[in-house]
Amino acid sequence: MSEITRVINAIHDGDAEAAAKLFPLVYDELRRMARASMAQERVGHTLQATALVHEAFVRLWNDKPASWDGRRHFFGAAAEAMRRILVEHARARGAIKRGAGRKRVSLGRAQTILEGCDSELDDLLALNDALDRLAAEDPAKADLVKLLYFAGLNLDEAAAVLGLSRTTAYRQWLYARAWLRDAMG
């Protein structure tokens, strides 16, 4: 049993001191996951990997840590939290871009500000919507996609987290990727 799993089990058992031990144990891995997620975002993204880690951990902590079932479940929940944060950030940015907090800007300046933003923002939101539909149809494949795309794990790491063989994970990834591509048009 890993140290992380031991600490999570201690949290389940009500050990208040165990809670303080969890963040330092998982910080480096969460930071790696956040950097991998941020690497897939647009250049100049205003959210930084450190802020993503901290926000994800706060959300995880507020969403009842006693519900985590070991290391695997914790990192799956972390990937989901990071996904939601990035999607909320993209939606907020889209709302601002489409008129919330309006400011008068000259037409030349407006064109410069908005150049190249639409496709990346729309792609993330389309992926999120398609991923939600896939999760309703096949949650296991959606979890795999979240770990690969949002947590930045490679196929072997994601397979280990989900308790799958590499071959099974690869087949599920091929299916999920084709399904998402079709769902996103």
Side-chain angles (χ1 to χ4, degrees):
M1 186 182 309
S2 76
E3 181 65 19
I4 295 169
T5 303
R6 276 194 278 276
V7 170
I8 289 172
N9 288 341
I11 292 170
H12 280 269
D13 296 338
D15 183 353
E17 292 177 16
K21 296 176 186 173
L22 183 62
F23 190 63
L25 282 175
V26 298
Y27 184 78
D28 289 338
E29 182 65 19
L30 289 176
R31 185 105 163 93
R32 189 186 70 72
M33 289 169 61
R35 277 194 312 269
S37 289
M38 296 305 298
Q40 298 181 44
E41 294 295 316
R42 65 179 163 63
V43 175
H45 199 289
T46 57
L47 189 62
Q48 299 296 316
T50 301
L52 182 58
V53 167
H54 290 251
E55 178 67 22
F57 193 80
V58 167
R59 287 186 185 199
L60 287 169
W61 195 254
N62 290 336
D63 289 344
K64 299 183 180 149
S67 66
W68 302 325
D69 187 19
R71 183 182 199 282
R72 174 181 149 193
H73 188 248
F74 173 81
F75 285 110
E80 177 66 16
M82 287 182 194
R83 175 180 81 101
R84 289 181 182 188
I85 292 164
L86 290 170
V87 167
E88 287 169 10
H89 192 270
R91 282 194 177 129
R93 188 169 179 273
I96 289 169
K97 189 175 79 182
R98 288 173 178 81
R102 294 180 185 162
K103 295 180 188 175
R104 290 197 179 265
V105 180
S106 72
L107 286 176
R109 173 111 169 94
Q111 182 62 34
T112 304
I113 291 170
L114 297 177
E115 275 181 341
C117 294
D118 289 336
S119 64
E120 293 161 354
L121 175 65
D122 292 341
D123 286 350
L124 179 62
L125 295 177
L127 173 62
N128 182 62
D129 292 342
L131 195 53
D132 286 343
R133 291 192 311 271
L134 177 61
E137 182 178 307
D138 194 332
K141 288 180 179 70
D143 288 343
L144 179 64
V145 172
K146 291 172 192 174
L147 290 172
L148 292 170
Y149 188 84
F150 291 99
L153 300 181
N154 65 37
L155 191 62
D156 291 327
E157 293 167 333
V161 166
L162 295 173
L164 303 172
S165 71
R166 185 184 198 294
T167 306
T168 300
Y170 182 71
R171 277 195 316 267
Q172 288 188 359
W173 169 236
L174 288 176
Y175 175 87
R177 189 173 61 185
W179 193 100
L180 289 170
R181 188 174 293 135
D182 184 56
M184 292 173 62

